[in-house]
Amino acid sequence: MMDGMHHDLSGEAFRAHVRDWLSANVPPGFLADAPGYTTPTLQQCRDFEAAMHRAGLAGITWPRAYGGHGRTLREHLVANQEIGRLALPESVSSIGKELAGPIILAIGTEEQKQRYLPAILEMREMWCQGFSEPEAGSDLAGLRTRATRDGAGWRITGQKIWTSGAAKAARCLLLARTGPLEDRHKGLALFAVPMDAPGIRVRPIRQINDKDGGFAEVFLDDVPVGPEDALGAPDEGWNAAIRVLGIERATNRMYRAWRFENELRHLVAACRQDPALAPLLRDGAYRQRIAATLVDIEMVKGNVEPVVEALVAGEAIGARGSLMKLHWSEAHQRFAALAMEILGMASPDAPPPVLQAQKRFKDIYLQARAETIYAGTTEIQLGIIADRVLNLPRGK
Amino acid sequence: MDMMQTGLDPADFADSARKAVAACLGLDPAGCGARLAEDGLLGVLAPEEVGGLGLDLRFALPVVQAAGAGDLAFPLAETMLMARHLAGPAPAIAASLAAGEGRGTIAWAGTARTELVGTVGRAPLAEGADWVLVRLAHGAALLPGSALRIAKAIGLDETAPEYNVTLTGADAACRLDAAAWSALAEEASLLRAAAILGAAETSLALAVEHVTTRRQFGKPLVANQAMRHLLARQKLAMEGMRGALIRATGCGDDAVGMLARRAAFLAAATHGPLIAEASIQAHGGMGFTWDIPVHRHLRRIRTLEAQGEAPAMREAVAAALIDAN
């Protein structure tokens, strides 16, 4: 099927399109559970994600006017289920697609939408996130980076940290303070800062998993930002962003349950390849734990699918994204530990498929440490559930 | 039959079930049966020919959930399932069960021999039952209570105690074939998930009530982050159980649906007991008293977990993944 013809499809026909397109277009060596896997380069990932977008597999619910495909959330879920079934690399542009894009869609000017959104989907511009600071992690009341008026524009000075992908990013979705520190949560403003602006310096931070393009610190010294790159007025932009992020937390990476299932199937398949591991698949205790993992996966699906129906029905989903994120991240950590335990018993001369699985699950295990920290730590999510799902009084 | 045809919504049944369950408080099983039958709740699943409503499982789930929430002293899921599955082979018995006149229950543990001897167990409220359904190697047999030796088992649930049932070689009133029994058993495990969900919801609600009203060190217990996070974790588990159950009811009759239905029960069997146990913990010393009813819900949940044979269900889930590939 030619690119662009997929817009007429719906329901199961769309699922078939996604499945067929992926089986025909995933580059050789891209799948972490298939023979011949080699870690894809950044450029390979960009090219593949751009092709996914042209085929209708990215920007699924974004309006067509801004390069999206104007499809429903149900179709977004369908595509994610099919994407999740394959051991594909994570997006190298997740900040743009999952954070900056949805916020710009909600609060950007028409000109900003035209300028930023197609560039994200076409993989021409990648974004990084400039929220956290050395003195402001989960608590943004302590944010110190300051934006001061400079004619119609702004000058920004301060320091950001944990800014993943800063070195490769064209823009930074940056949060800065327009008033005094005493204003705490007031006077915060969002900017789309060009990363090639004068006064920006990026210093990489080595991560526990030694991944290229990971964490960085970003230093901003009197960085000029034009009025066209301010996202909403002070307060307005950030308040809208918080609302958007509540929905986004519940709808992005919907493939996670199905990818999780792919990982479990990979682990089982790898065990069969090694005479030291195959007997574990007949061991009652390991079978109980594998079943518990499957139940966890089904619970992740059970958290995702009703949210789609609720959003389609126009219901407010409130803090349900916190439930989804917390259950998935902890279940995934339990599974990653199980995989490390099992693969740790492999034969010293294990065959290549087992070595490949060991490499994949080592990465997954280390990456899983971040999953209960980023996008709101476990402790923050528990606080949100207590406050906004259980509606517990503060108890003064 | 679906909602479009009947104009009914499963949620409508939740409200009437809650009221009926509340009205059953203090009644003996016969009295509960009569009260529940008044609202047609025993025949939700039974076909119309035997006086039932002929609805699908989605309509039974909120009813059983309400029974779990209210610690009902009646074998509701068993009666609903018997009224449905006996309608073919024994319509008069099915009709009397749906009408709340005859009393039935199911022995969930063990298998009787084909010549109808042996002892089976985990039959809730079997004492005084008119009919007991027992599992055979292939299918099941319905036996009159008068032909059985029925003895109270060592069990946790005091409201709906379990009994051991010894067969004495008497004839069966009817038999279910293996397919009918496995359909019944599969429906039972989803109903158990709903009952556990209801009992867990009540447990957590009691814990929330306690920590918001009980004061220590000059402030309510709920002011402590340790307590807030403990309760948040229970809510997380409970919504996971609920999501798995909702998802399972929407799945088809294929392998995906089979896994979803098994997972719905296992999610409840895994997390339900922990929610009730944490709710006792949140009550402190008061949680260890008979008067705080969380222990009743814990007893019910642990009993439902055992009746559903959670470890065997996990083994079946593992087998479908490991041995089928």
Side-chain angles (χ1 to χ4, degrees), chain B residues 117-233:
Chain B
V117 292
T119 297
V120 292
R122 296 204 179 279
L125 293 159
E127 191 173 41
D130 300 300
W131 303 102
V132 181
L133 190 65
V134 303
R135 181 164 34 166
L136 306 176
H138 301 285
L142 183 72
L143 293 149
S146 55
L148 301 167
R149 281 207 307 276
I150 291 173
K152 196 170 173 191
I154 300 167
L156 276 172
D157 194 337
E158 296 289 328
T159 318
E162 293 181 304
Y163 290 82
N164 290 326
V165 171
T166 301
L167 288 72
T168 56
D171 283 344
C174 74
R175 291 178 190 242
L176 296 181
D177 63 20
W181 170 259
S182 81
L184 181 153
E186 204 179 306
E187 291 166 7
S189 77
L190 267 196
L191 293 176
R192 278 187 200 102
I196 292 173
L197 178 61
E201 283 177 319
T202 305
S203 301
L204 183 57
L206 289 165
V208 167
E209 168 73 15
H210 177 74
V211 301
T212 49
T213 51
R214 169 86 172 157
R215 294 181 74 85
Q216 289 284 278
F217 303 105
K219 59 189 180 183
L221 290 175
V222 75
N224 297 287
Q225 192 179 56
M227 201 54 90
R228 301 177 78 80
H229 284 193
L230 174 75
L231 297 179
R233 285 213 166 275

Side-chain angles (χ1 to χ4, degrees), chain A residues 269-286:
Chain A
C271 288
R272 283 214 188 82
Q273 305 281 322
D274 186 330
L277 299 182
L280 301 178
L281 297 177
R282 297 189 293 274
D283 178 279
Y286 279 108

Side-chain angles (χ1 to χ4, degrees), chain B:
Chain B
M1 199 179 292
D2 65 18
M3 280 186 259
M4 299 298 283
Q5 289 170 310
T6 60
L8 295 173
D9 184 338
D12 298 338
F13 283 71
D15 199 40
S16 66
R18 271 192 295 271
K19 289 188 184 119
V21 168
C24 286
L25 196 68
L27 299 181
D28 67 5
C32 290
R35 178 64 189 81
L36 295 164
E38 265 178 43
D39 288 349
L41 296 174
L42 302 182
V44 168
L45 298 174
E48 291 170 21
E49 302 87 81
V50 298
L53 299 175
L55 297 170
D56 68 45
L57 204 61
R58 286 171 304 153
F59 292 85
L61 293 169
V63 176
V64 174
Q65 187 179 342
D71 192 31
L72 180 70
F74 186 82
L76 178 59
E78 287 80 0
T79 306
M80 284 175 150
L81 291 169
M82 289 169 79
R84 164 180 269 188
H85 289 277
L86 295 173
I93 297 171
S96 84
L97 292 170
E101 291 157 4
R103 274 217 296 123
T105 190
I106 301 174
W108 293 111
T111 304
R113 305 226 309 263
T114 315
E115 53 271 33
L116 300 181
V117 292
T119 297
V120 292
R122 296 204 179 279
L125 293 159
E127 191 173 41
D130 300 300
W131 303 102
V132 181
L133 190 65
V134 303
R135 181 164 34 166
L136 306 176
H138 301 285
L142 183 72
L143 293 149
S146 55
L148 301 167
R149 281 207 307 276
I150 291 173
K152 196 170 173 191
I154 300 167
L156 276 172
D157 194 337
E158 296 289 328
T159 318
E162 293 181 304
Y163 290 82
N164 290 326
V165 171
T166 301
L167 288 72
T168 56
D171 283 344
C174 74
R175 291 178 190 242
L176 296 181
D177 63 20
W181 170 259
S182 81
L184 181 153
E186 204 179 306
E187 291 166 7
S189 77
L190 267 196
L191 293 176
R192 278 187 200 102
I196 292 173
L197 178 61
E201 283 177 319
T202 305
S203 301
L204 183 57
L206 289 165
V208 167
E209 168 73 15
H210 177 74
V211 301
T212 49
T213 51
R214 169 86 172 157
R215 294 181 74 85
Q216 289 284 278
F217 303 105
K219 59 189 180 183
L221 290 175
V222 75
N224 297 287
Q225 192 179 56
M227 201 54 90
R228 301 177 78 80
H229 284 193
L230 174 75
L231 297 179
R233 285 213 166 275
Q234 310 321 312
K235 182 67 173 169
L236 171 68
M238 201 158 70
E239 293 312 309
M241 285 162 56
R242 194 193 317 277
L245 182 57
I246 291 170
R247 178 167 185 277
T249 59
C251 279
D253 216 11
D254 51 5
V256 171
M258 172 72 93
L259 172 60
R261 285 187 289 277
R262 287 170 167 168
F265 168 68
L266 288 173
T270 304
H271 297 286
L274 302 180
I275 293 170
E277 288 166 1
S279 299
I280 288 177
Q281 178 70 22
H283 278 82
M286 292 164 78
F288 196 64
T289 65
W290 189 268
D291 287 346
I292 298 294
V294 184
H295 71 100
R296 296 172 189 271
H297 298 291
L298 175 61
R299 289 162 181 272
R300 173 66 52 88
I301 291 170
R302 282 288 184 200
T303 303
L304 289 165
E305 176 198 5
Q307 288 171 2
E309 299 180 327
M313 185 83 84
R314 282 193 197 93
E315 169 53 35
V317 163
L321 176 77
I322 296 167
D323 305 336
N325 284 336

Side-chain angles (χ1 to χ4, degrees), chain A residues 67-337:
Chain A
H69 300 294
R71 289 187 172 277
T72 65
L73 203 53
R74 282 205 190 100
E75 290 163 322
H76 174 74
L77 174 62
V78 163
N80 271 271
Q81 288 170 336
E82 296 303 322
I83 289 165
R85 279 184 230 285
L86 301 176
L88 289 166
E90 299 287 334
S91 170
V92 294
S93 183
S94 59
I95 299 295
K97 291 177 181 175
E98 297 166 6
L99 196 74
I103 288 173
I104 292 162
L105 265 175
I107 62 167
T109 63
E110 181 61 26
E111 196 214 340
Q112 286 172 332
K113 291 176 188 175
Q114 296 287 356
R115 182 147 40 97
Y116 300 133
L117 297 177
I120 291 172
L121 293 176
E122 291 160 17
M123 297 299 291
R124 286 185 280 114
E125 288 189 351
M126 289 188 277
W127 287 62
C128 58
Q129 174 186 355
F131 291 0
S132 296
E133 297 182 2
E135 298 299 324
S138 300
D139 180 10
L140 293 169
L143 200 89
R144 287 162 190 267
T145 294
R146 174 145 307 158
T148 47
R149 278 286 182 190
D150 178 24
W154 300 83
R155 293 262 170 186
I156 297 177
T157 296
Q159 182 186 350
K160 295 290 173 181
I161 198 164
W162 319 135
T163 308
S164 295
K168 68 185 181 194
R171 298 243 166 210
C172 181
L173 181 70
L174 183 128
L175 189 63
R177 180 176 296 289
T178 57
L181 190 57
E182 291 70 34
D183 282 355
R184 294 174 56 76
H185 293 284
K186 289 209 188 81
L188 301 179
L190 269 180
F191 297 91
V193 177
M195 289 298 284
D196 59 1
I200 292 183
R201 188 165 59 87
V202 174
R203 193 181 74 83
I205 300 170
R206 191 174 177 185
Q207 298 184 169
I208 64 172
N209 61 356
D210 246 347
K211 197 170 136 194
D212 287 339
F215 277 167
E217 283 178 293
V218 177
F219 301 91
L220 303 108
D221 181 13
D222 207 27
V223 176
V225 176
E228 69 280 9
D229 288 331
L231 296 171
D235 291 324
E236 176 202 31
W238 178 239
N239 290 337
I242 290 172
R243 288 196 298 277
V244 173
L245 294 180
I247 297 169
E248 196 57 25
R249 191 179 277 150
T251 56
N252 72 33
R253 303 195 194 189
M254 281 197 163
Y255 60 80
R256 282 187 294 210
W258 290 269
R259 181 66 47 75
F260 195 162
E261 193 171 344
N262 163 275
E263 291 166 0
L264 177 61
R265 288 181 188 281
H266 184 194
L267 176 65
V268 169
C271 288
R272 283 214 188 82
Q273 305 281 322
D274 186 330
L277 299 182
L280 301 178
L281 297 177
R282 297 189 293 274
D283 178 279
Y286 279 108
R287 289 168 77 90
Q288 293 279 314
R289 289 169 72 187
I290 287 168
T293 305
L294 264 174
V295 172
D296 267 332
I297 292 169
E298 292 294 300
M299 289 174 76
V300 178
K301 292 179 187 171
N303 276 331
V304 172
E305 290 175 348
V307 161
V308 171
E309 294 308 313
L311 282 168
V312 168
E315 293 171 28
I317 55 159
R320 271 156 75 173
S322 290
L323 296 168
M324 295 169 62
K325 194 266 181 181
L326 182 50
H327 177 258
W328 166 75
S329 60
E330 295 192 330
H332 199 229
Q333 286 189 343
R334 286 193 287 275
F335 165 65

Side-chain angles (χ1 to χ4, degrees), chain A residues 20-40:
Chain A
D20 293 348
W21 187 89
L22 287 169
S23 71
N25 290 282
V26 170
F30 238 54
L31 298 179
D33 61 352
Y37 173 74
T38 50
T39 308

